[in-house]
């Protein structure tokens, strides 16, 4: 009876290649002690037998398992965490590395358990994935392998954190509206307890100040929801009927704003231009009209985290906060301001 492929062992490979078990192991782990011709013979034997090495066993010999632990506190925040995760997984896959994903769900006991579990699996490094670009307590002291934080900022300046540039994205949006000739620009955004909301509001005011333009009223903080966008737009237009542009802190808010503007008989973008934030395409592309917005480049954040983790694994770690720029996606909700 033919041997099942899943039962092929390192001993089988060594026997086929005519070498010792130790030599076969060293050859498959690219150790320098093995002659090139011998290594090639072992690799050919492994291919012929469809040998699948035990990753953990290889790790005991080579000192690495080519596996990364990815620890998140809120995988349910899929709108932001999943794109970052996909970017990281794609970058790791390109280097033939694997990911072990654990969701602590905000529970400290569960988090400690997962850290111990991942370390027991001998992961080569950790990526700690946030859900809101906020500052969080460092975990590095409990983890004896390199750690990179992404879409969150460690409170330890010696760590490396990859975050979205919220202020930079807001500047792109505000500068776009100013360049289109809009002069009475308002800002409707989300929960002020979020650093992203505060940073975007501050950057918007900075751009308008530099252009010699006042903000139409104060920034309006509320919920990250369409309902808040509808309500805020109605209140805004009651107090500032001459507004000709609204920059919104999220696409959901912007969608609600466009609904309110239509109900109020305002044309978009002829009367009022609208810009959102996040480039949540299920909303931005279906908005009427389609929404100009800022893309956070979340997949790029994940890929950047992997690059910095690889650098640390290669002995050249970085530290500090790295802000990855977003990009402006221009659609039909903005346009040249009409002559007045």
């Amino acid at each position: 009876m033919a041997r099942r492929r899943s039962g092929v062992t390192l001993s089988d490979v060594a026997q086929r290649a005519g070498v010792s078990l130790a030599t076969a192991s060293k050859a498959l782990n690219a150790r320098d002690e093995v002659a090139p011709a011998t290594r090639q013979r072992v690799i050919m034997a492994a291919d012929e037998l469809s040998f699948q090495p035990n990753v953990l066993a290889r790790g005991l010999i080579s000192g690495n398992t080519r596996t990364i632990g990815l620890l998140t506190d809120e995988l349910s925040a899929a709108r932001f965490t999943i794109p970052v995760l996909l970017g990281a997984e794609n970058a790791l896959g390109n280097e033939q590395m694997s990911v072990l994903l654990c969701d602590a769900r905000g529970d400290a006991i569960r988090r400690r358990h997962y850290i111990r579990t991942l370390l027991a699996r001998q992961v080569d490094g950790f990526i700690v994935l946030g859900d809101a670009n906020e500052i969080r307590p460092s975990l590095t002291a409990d983890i004896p392998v390199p750690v990179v934080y992404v879409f969150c900022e460690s409170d330890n300046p010696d760590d490396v954190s990859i975050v979205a540039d919220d202020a930079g994205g807001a500047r792109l949006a505000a500068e776009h509206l100013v360049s289109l000739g809009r002069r009475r620009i308002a800002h409707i955004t989300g929960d002020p307890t979020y650093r992203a909301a505060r940073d975007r509001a501050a950057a918007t005011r900075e751009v308008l100040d530099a252009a010699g333009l006042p903000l139409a009223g104060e920034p309006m903080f509320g919920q990250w929801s369409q309902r808040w966008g509808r309500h805020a737009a109605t209140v805004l237009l009651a107090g500032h009927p001459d507004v000709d542009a609204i920059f919104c802190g999220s696409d959901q808010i912007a969608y609600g704003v466009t609904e309110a503007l239509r109900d109020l008989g305002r044309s978009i973008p002829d009367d009022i231009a609208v810009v959102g934030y996040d480039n949540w395409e299920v909303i931005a592309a279906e908005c009427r009209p389609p929404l100009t917005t800022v893309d956070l480049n979340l997949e790029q954040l994940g890929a950047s985290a992997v690059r910095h983790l690889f650098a640390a694994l290669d002995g050249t770690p970085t530290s500090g906060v790295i802000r990855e720029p977003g990009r402006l996606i221009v659609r039909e909700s903005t346009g040249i301001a009409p002559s007045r």
Side-chain angles (χ1 to χ4, degrees):
M1 183 180 295
R3 179 188 285 112
R4 292 176 61 187
R5 288 185 176 183
S6 61
V8 176
T9 67
L10 184 59
S11 296
D12 297 324
V13 175
Q15 184 177 358
R16 171 67 72 93
V19 299
S20 69
L21 184 64
T23 298
S25 176
K26 291 176 182 178
L28 292 176
N29 284 284
R31 299 281 289 273
D32 293 336
E33 303 97 297
V34 181
T38 302
R39 177 179 296 112
Q40 185 61 32
R41 194 163 73 250
V42 173
I43 291 173
M44 288 180 62
D47 288 343
E48 291 168 1
L49 294 172
S50 298
F51 173 62
Q52 296 295 323
N54 183 306
V55 174
L56 289 179
R58 284 181 58 180
L60 291 173
I61 299 170
S62 67
N64 64 75
T65 59
R66 300 194 65 77
T67 303
I68 299 301
L70 198 152
L71 182 64
T72 180
D73 271 342
E74 200 58 65
L75 192 58
S76 62
R79 166 67 191 93
F80 299 103
T81 55
I82 294 299
V84 179
L85 173 60
L86 290 174
E89 194 279 333
N90 185 60
L92 289 166
N94 289 340
E95 298 297 327
Q96 298 184 325
M97 297 189 75
S98 301
V99 181
L100 294 177
L101 172 64
C102 295
D103 182 4
R105 304 177 193 174
D107 183 87
I109 295 175
R110 184 187 295 264
R111 189 182 306 115
R112 288 194 297 271
H113 164 70
Y114 282 139
I115 290 173
R116 289 194 299 267
T117 299
L118 291 170
L119 290 174
R121 296 294 299 270
Q122 299 183 25
V123 296
D124 298 328
F126 273 71
I127 293 175
V128 177
L129 171 59
D131 65 330
N133 226 32
E134 296 284 336
I135 297 176
R136 59 160 301 148
S138 175
L139 302 174
T140 306
D142 299 324
I143 302 175
V145 293
V147 184
V148 172
Y149 298 80
V150 60
F151 205 57
C152 60
E153 180 181 333
S154 167
D155 63 3
N156 185 345
D158 293 331
D159 293 332
V160 60
S161 304
I162 317 297
V163 299
D165 187 356
D166 284 306
R171 282 191 288 270
L172 290 175
E175 288 169 355
H176 174 64
L177 292 171
V178 171
S179 74
L180 294 174
R182 305 291 169 162
R183 293 296 177 264
R184 290 168 293 282
I185 300 171
H187 184 47
I188 299 174
T189 191
D191 188 338
T193 65
Y194 282 73
R195 184 172 60 161
R198 300 191 303 272
D199 287 352
R200 293 170 193 174
T204 300
R205 193 185 291 277
E206 289 173 3
V207 169
L208 297 185
D209 286 346
L213 299 173
L215 186 68
E218 290 298 312
M220 300 180 70
F221 292 96
Q223 302 300 311
W224 303 103
S225 68
Q226 291 172 228
R227 177 180 294 182
W228 164 242
R230 288 194 298 270
H231 173 74
T234 301
V235 172
L236 173 68
L237 270 293
H240 302 273
D242 59 347
V243 162
D244 63 5
I246 304 173
F247 168 40
C248 302
S250 77
D251 291 343
Q252 285 180 288
I253 293 172
Y255 196 101
V257 166
T258 62
E259 291 177 320
L261 293 181
R262 285 197 304 273
D263 290 345
L264 293 169
R266 301 298 185 97
S267 173
I268 307 168
D270 292 340
D271 296 331
I272 300 177
V274 179
V275 178
Y277 206 104
D278 298 335
N279 194 30
W280 192 356
E281 291 207 23
V282 70
I283 289 180
E286 295 302 319
C287 190
R288 291 188 297 155
L291 189 62
T292 293
T293 183
V294 177
D295 192 313
L296 280 73
N297 282 343
L298 293 173
E299 288 196 25
Q300 180 59 38
L301 259 68
S304 179
V306 171
R307 287 197 302 272
H308 285 275
L309 185 60
F310 284 168
L313 292 171
D314 288 339
T316 56
T318 51
S319 62
V321 180
I322 298 167
R323 289 180 169 80
E324 291 286 341
R327 58 195 176 103
L328 186 71
I329 308 297
V330 178
R331 298 190 179 96
E332 288 89 331
S333 69
T334 56
I336 303 298
S339 301
R340 299 190 186 278

